[in-house]
Amino acid sequence: MFVHLQGPWNPVWGRLSLQAIPYQNPILVGTFLFAMIAALAIVGAVFYFRAGPYLWREWFTTVDHKKIGVMYCLLGLVMLFRGFIDALMIRSQQAMAVGPHSPGYLGALHGYLTPFHIGQVYTAHGLIMVVFAATPLLVGIMNIVVPLQIGARDMAYPYLNALGFWLTAAAAALVMLSLFVGNFAHGGWYGFLPYFELPYSPGVGVDYWMWAFQLSAIGTTMGSINLIATIVKMRAPGMTWMRMPIFTWASLSTNLIALTSFPVLMVSLALLGLDRYFGTHFYTAGQGGNLMLYNDLFWVWGHPEVYFLILPAFGMMSEIIPTFSEKTLFGYATMVVASFAIGGVSWGVWLHHFFTMAAEPSVNSFYSVTTMLVGIPTGVKVFNWIFTMYRGRVRFELPMLWALLALFLLLVGGMTGMMNAFAASDYMWHNGVFVVAHFHMMVLLIASSIFGAVEYWFPKVFGFKLEQRWGKWFFWFMVLGTAWVFVPMFILGFAGMTRRLDYVPVTQWAPYLRVMLVGMAFYVVALGFFVAHLYVSLRDRMKNRVGADPWGTTRNLEWMTHSPVPAYNFAFIPRVHARDEWAWRKEHGMANLGNESFEDIHMPRNTGVPVLLGALSFALCFALVWRIWWLAAACLGLVVLVIILRSFARKTDEVIPATTVAGVERAAQDALASPARG
Amino acid sequence: MTHSAENPLHHPEVHQASLSGYVANFLITVLVMTAALWLARDNSLPAGSLVGWTSLLALVAVLVQAYLLLHMNWSKAQIWHTVAMILFVPLFVVMIGLTMWMFHGLYQRTAIAMPHQTMAAPMHPAPAASAAAHTVKAA
Ligand code: HEM
Ligand SMILES: [Cu+2]
């Protein structure tokens, strides 16, 4: 039944053998040592502080949407770091390996990375940044903020929420593991057919890529179901649709995209899996297969996916800009419509990723036009933000700086996107670095919004503000790095440089590549400032403690409850009177929560099942990658068994007694009144 | 409005569950999918009607699952779920329709042979020129 494999296989270890460990590669050995030291430090700290039981009880088994959100963000940050290291390697390789006389080190003819190695690096970079850095960060922030903004106590499905997170984490771990056991795909993050078929990519790299991608897609789909159900069903009384905060609207739109498009990704990867494991011919070049079908299916997901990433970022900007312009958002209704228009149009543009496939001119023209249509709702949003700032009292605090940078990057990325949208010009630079620069503007916009959002909502989640001095240094060095890396990249794109080069044949490009390397140095410095920013903020946390409304001019429900938010979010489910409820309450002298007759609060109960399922899925995918059939069968069986057993669990909830609630509320009030507030 | 303490087993959605429904769903789905797989493996129908029949079977599978497994119906408890599902139908139409349109043109313009031709001459892709000639006629 299974397809014939090239190379050894045995029933116990599958394809796994000692050769799979890349101990001859000094870079990977170094990475391994670094990872081990980091892991030892963490584990050591956990034991030293006896934090194990605490971590397990309060974090690993939690179903609290805020804690899950925080864990999503931590996962995203770790993977952002990994992806950044990959970027450093790509940039330094390309700066070194220019021209036939450039020296080679570590077994490479030019530069220090062999083609096989740098292939893995850029593949991992793309996949990690899109799926394991940006997505978890965005999902994490939505997880934290959406229930608070709609006045709910948790997500609609807290258990599913934890499960989605642990599956995503398992998928990320799988990518990391591929560094040290086996290798990773080396044909680009979106897959390349028929190159990714078994005969041409016989190793385990593609399998790692495929299963990690698949697992994260399952996790993200679960998250999207959860957020949609939460927004539709759990809004506080009085929160009508048109009173919903814009970030919540953006989350709804974005998760509708995720819910409808991720299944397509799963199918396109599953068909590749059938090809690679059972020898079917969905994407082969002959025997009835069609390799363009893969491109088609992948980008049917792929383009909606980029809007899945950007809509929450737009939502964040729409929260930050009014707060720091001290005005209500301009054009609320058009903002809502634009979010959904973007979501809708994103479903009809995917072919612009393969204009060069040789479709009919009418087809290409159709997709050119639909792609350009996206510019209309996006433009509406841009003008709304600008009009929000117009005649506002704009305060350039850190969240606002990030939001403005995002706005600027949106213009650059959007304009260059429009240039890509002309099929005729896209023929000139498709698969070149112009395209790469375009979408990096877009994803850096997303990153900027995320940093802004973290600055903005951090005090809500943790109860103290991040400091501003190092944060500003971090911001400005990110700006510098972005300019120095991507302006030359646009230029090289016009000069005709193709993407994913392991060796650059044109020596005239060397200066640009070196300038880009300087940009990377700025990014490295920025990373240092980021660490300082976090360190100083954590050190001074008692000095920077804040109350419910740390920015003073916030507008939505999440700012009504205490900072940090208690486990139950709101002692009383708020009744909503207006759009921008919190601003409305402040105007109408109703900002005080005080109500003495607290009630019991019914909450979901922690469970270790999601962690277990995450671990089992990890093992399942590992077994599938290495074709260890007994292990795969055992893990799959256990997954099914655990799910069935869990469905019999009766004690899935618990009650926080009114006295506890009263205690927590009083403590929060007292903390507010105390002079410790800096 | 959030987690109320009432027993979730009393929710109307939960009452839609029925063992016979689930078993019937399972059997019908397996049957339909096996039939589709068999049609594809047997490969004796001409390409066009093969696509037609498997699509029809897929539609049956979707409808059966929507009705028996997801309980999409017009009852008071479920009607909004059903309506929401129907609102997604345009997406299917857009995705499948645009894909077909694109491949239709692509097959005419490139040397990729139509599916039934590749099946008739397996293993080696036909030389570009003759394949192109075939394709134009076939389409
Ligand atoms: C104004 C809106 C946009 C337009 C008109 C646009 C247009 C395009 C076009 C035509 C391409 C294909 C270029 C080629 O491969 O030759 C492209 C690639 C890409 N765009 Fe955009 N885009 C827009 C917004 C975005 C956004 C919001 C994101 C991400 C959040 C994004 C991310 C990407 C990515 C990741 C790729 C390339 C993927 C790859 O080849 O690896 N774009 N864009
Ligand atoms: Cu696109």
Side-chain angles (χ1 to χ4, degrees):
Chain A
M1 185 167 78
F2 294 117
V3 67
H4 179 69
L5 280 178
Q6 312 172 21
W9 178 87
N10 71 60
V12 180
W13 295 101
R15 308 178 82 184
L16 194 56
S17 71
L18 273 184
Q19 269 104 49
I21 316 279
Y23 48 79
Q24 332 82 332
N25 184 322
I27 297 176
L28 285 175
V29 172
T31 313
F32 182 73
L33 287 180
F34 173 79
M36 281 302 111
I37 291 169
L40 274 182
I42 292 172
V43 173
V46 167
F47 273 101
Y48 183 78
F49 295 108
R50 290 170 217 248
Y54 162 79
L55 283 179
W56 176 258
R57 212 176 45 237
E58 296 289 326
W59 292 90
F60 283 41
T61 60
T62 190
V63 289
D64 180 332
H65 71 99
K66 302 174 289 293
K67 288 184 175 164
I68 293 175
V70 170
M71 290 195 292
Y72 261 119
C73 291
L74 284 177
L75 175 72
L77 269 186
V78 170
M79 297 310 282
L80 192 66
F81 177 69
R82 157 82 204 270
F84 176 67
I85 301 292
D86 289 336
L88 268 179
M89 292 174 80
I90 301 171
R91 285 272 62 81
S92 48
Q93 165 75 12
Q94 285 193 343
M96 283 164 78
V98 189
H101 303 299
S102 56
Y105 308 96
L106 301 178
L109 219 49
H110 300 279
Y112 66 107
L113 295 172
T114 59
F116 179 65
H117 194 167
I118 194 174
Q120 294 176 52
V121 173
Y122 62 64
T123 306
H125 171 77
L127 188 72
I128 285 174
M129 286 308 204
V130 172
V131 174
F132 296 113
T135 304
L137 282 162
L138 294 169
V139 173
I141 294 172
M142 289 193 280
N143 235 305
I144 295 172
V145 175
V146 167
L148 291 173
Q149 282 199 328
I150 60 174
R153 288 204 167 119
D154 206 315
M155 298 280 258
Y157 309 111
Y159 164 73
L160 189 71
N161 198 12
L163 186 56
F165 167 73
W166 286 107
L167 290 184
T168 311
L174 204 63
V175 175
M176 294 307 245
L177 187 70
S178 76
L179 277 175
F180 310 127
V181 185
N183 51 56
F184 202 63
H186 54 279
W189 74 277
Y190 54 73
F192 204 32
L193 267 293
Y195 182 53
F196 271 33
E197 292 282 3
L198 196 61
Y200 318 109
S201 297
V204 292
V206 174
D207 298 325
Y208 265 121
W209 168 85
M210 190 176 81
W211 290 114
F213 217 164
Q214 186 73 277
L215 203 54
S216 83
I218 296 172
T220 310
T221 313
M222 287 179 177
S224 69
I225 294 172
N226 211 343
L227 274 157
I228 295 173
T230 308
I231 296 172
V232 174
K233 297 273 189 191
M234 311 237 316
R235 280 168 292 133
M239 170 81 69
T240 56
W241 287 108
M242 289 317 266
R243 287 182 186 165
M244 252 166 46
I246 284 290
F247 181 72
T248 301
W249 270 115
S251 304
L252 182 62
S253 171
T254 216
N255 284 297
L256 284 172
I257 296 179
L259 179 63
T260 49
S261 70
F262 270 87
V264 185
L265 172 69
M266 294 184 213
V267 168
S268 62
L269 292 172
L271 295 184
L272 178 63
L274 287 175
D275 277 9
R276 286 182 65 88
Y277 285 77
F278 295 100
T280 54
H281 289 277
F282 286 103
Y283 304 135
T284 55
Q287 305 225 341
N290 186 335
L291 45 117
M292 286 318 295
L293 182 62
Y294 175 79
N295 271 5
D296 188 67
L297 287 177
F298 185 89
W299 288 113
V300 166
W301 165 77
H303 190 87
E305 153 73 12
V306 304
Y307 283 93
F308 164 72
L309 294 177
I310 209 157
L311 281 170
F314 285 171
M316 292 163 185
M317 293 162 71
S318 304
E319 296 289 331
I320 294 172
I321 290 178
T323 297
F324 294 96
S325 305
E326 311 196 357
K327 268 174 71 187
T328 184
L329 185 71
F330 183 91
Y332 172 92
T334 52
M335 226 41 161
V336 173
V337 174
S339 294
F340 278 78
I342 291 176
V345 176
S346 79
W347 260 89
V349 301
W350 73 88
L351 188 133
H352 66 217
H353 291 274
F354 43 100
F355 275 140
T356 53
M357 180 188 68
E360 280 175 347
S362 53
V363 176
N364 273 1
S365 316
F366 174 86
Y367 281 94
S368 276
V369 172
T370 52
T371 304
M372 287 179 226
L373 281 182
V374 180
I376 298 174
T378 314
V380 168
K381 284 188 172 249
V382 171
F383 282 112
N384 281 343
W385 289 318
I386 292 175
F387 285 132
T388 305
M389 287 183 279
Y390 179 66
R391 299 206 149 170
R393 277 190 292 271
V394 180
R395 304 201 316 259
F396 293 101
E397 296 190 46
L398 261 179
M400 185 64 169
L401 287 182
W402 284 113
L404 291 177
L405 176 61
L407 190 55
F408 176 76
L409 292 173
L410 172 61
L411 292 183
V412 183
M415 295 299 171
T416 50
M418 287 297 142
M419 294 167 72
N420 294 342
F422 289 93
S425 47
D426 187 63
Y427 260 79
M428 295 290 117
W429 57 61
H430 172 64
N431 262 342
V433 297
F434 185 83
V435 173
V436 178
H438 149 69
F439 68 74
H440 277 86
M441 290 296 103
M442 286 300 188
V443 288
L444 280 163
L445 170 186
I446 294 165
S448 297
S449 310
I450 290 173
F451 285 126
V454 169
E455 298 285 344
Y456 184 59
W457 277 303
F458 188 94
K460 181 59 17 194
V461 179
F462 293 99
F464 60 96
K465 263 191 190 176
L466 292 167
E467 61 82 45
Q468 299 251 322
R469 206 163 72 92
W470 295 102
K472 287 203 170 147
W473 280 104
F474 170 53
F475 172 81
W476 285 110
F477 270 80
M478 287 293 287
V479 173
L480 270 180
T482 304
W484 281 60
V485 172
F486 290 101
V487 171
M489 197 182 282
F490 276 120
I491 297 173
L492 284 176
F494 281 132
M497 180 169 162
T498 49
R499 68 196 285 192
R500 297 173 178 156
L501 295 181
D502 59 301
Y503 163 70
V504 181
V506 183
T507 44
Q508 288 91 325
W509 293 344
Y512 296 97
L513 293 165
R514 293 202 189 110
V515 171
M516 285 155 93
L517 201 57
V518 175
M520 292 310 283
F522 286 132
Y523 275 139
V524 173
V525 177
L527 179 65
F529 285 131
F530 180 68
V531 174
H533 179 47
L534 282 188
Y535 172 76
V536 173
S537 301
L538 285 175
R539 194 192 62 195
D540 298 347
R541 61 186 177 281
M542 293 317 268
K543 247 184 15 219
N544 297 333
R545 285 245 300 276
V546 293
D549 184 0
W551 307 109
T553 47
T554 54
R555 316 193 64 83
N556 286 322
L557 269 190
E558 77 267 29
W559 303 103
M560 211 174 91
T561 184
H562 310 293
S563 319
V565 183
Y568 46 79
N569 291 0
F570 299 92
F572 299 96
I573 297 291
R575 175 166 291 281
V576 179
H577 308 83
R579 188 182 296 162
D580 288 354
E581 170 72 9
W582 175 233
W584 185 89
R585 287 197 182 205
K586 285 190 280 191
E587 269 164 38
H588 291 74
M590 289 174 59
N592 206 333
L593 286 174
N595 186 330
E596 293 305 313
S597 54
F598 294 107
E599 290 162 7
D600 289 357
I601 295 180
H602 180 234
M603 293 296 287
R605 191 195 192 89
N606 286 4
T607 160
V609 176
V611 191
L612 182 62
L613 285 176
L616 286 172
S617 320
F618 174 79
L620 169 63
C621 289
F622 180 78
L624 286 169
V625 166
W626 292 97
R627 303 181 195 228
I628 310 172
W629 304 127
W630 63 268
L631 184 59
C635 290
L636 187 62
L638 280 174
V639 167
V640 174
L641 190 71
V642 170
I643 292 175
I644 292 177
L645 286 182
R646 158 78 193 185
S647 66
F648 286 100
R650 299 235 161 234
K651 294 195 70 167
T652 57
D653 44 10
E654 60 193 9
V655 169
I656 304 179
T659 46
T660 316
V661 177
V664 174
E665 291 292 307
R666 219 167 298 121
Q669 305 278 359
D670 293 350
L672 249 180
S674 80
R677 208 148 79 85
Chain B
M1 157 146 229
T2 353
H3 301 279
S4 53
E6 62 180 279
N7 187 348
L9 291 181
H10 294 159
H11 286 200
E13 298 89 356
V14 179
H15 283 268
Q16 309 262 339
S18 81
L19 182 64
S20 54
Y22 288 141
V23 172
N25 165 66
F26 181 72
L27 291 180
I28 298 175
T29 315
V30 168
L31 196 80
V32 167
M33 290 187 179
T34 316
L37 183 65
W38 180 77
L39 275 182
R41 287 196 65 119
D42 182 57
N43 196 22
S44 51
L45 290 176
S49 51
L50 184 62
V51 170
W53 279 108
T54 42
S55 307
L56 190 70
L57 288 172
L59 186 70
V60 172
V62 167
L63 291 180
V64 165
Q65 295 209 353
Y67 186 70
L68 289 176
L69 189 69
L70 304 177
H71 311 296
M72 305 237 157
N73 54 38
W74 305 113
S75 70
K76 203 156 163 266
Q78 293 294 79
I79 183 160
W80 281 110
H81 297 192
T82 312
V83 169
M85 183 64 151
I86 289 174
L87 288 180
F88 281 123
V89 169
L91 282 187
F92 287 90
V93 177
V94 164
M95 181 197 146
I96 297 172
L98 288 179
T99 298
M100 283 171 63
W101 180 39
M102 170 196 90
F103 275 118
H104 176 76
L106 188 72
Y107 280 139
Q108 287 189 335
R109 292 163 50 83
T110 64
I112 301 177
M114 292 295 278
H116 63 271
Q117 291 178 317
T118 1
M119 283 166 202
M123 295 308 180
H124 320 282
S130 67
H134 280 275
T135 331
V136 172
K137 256 181 257 130

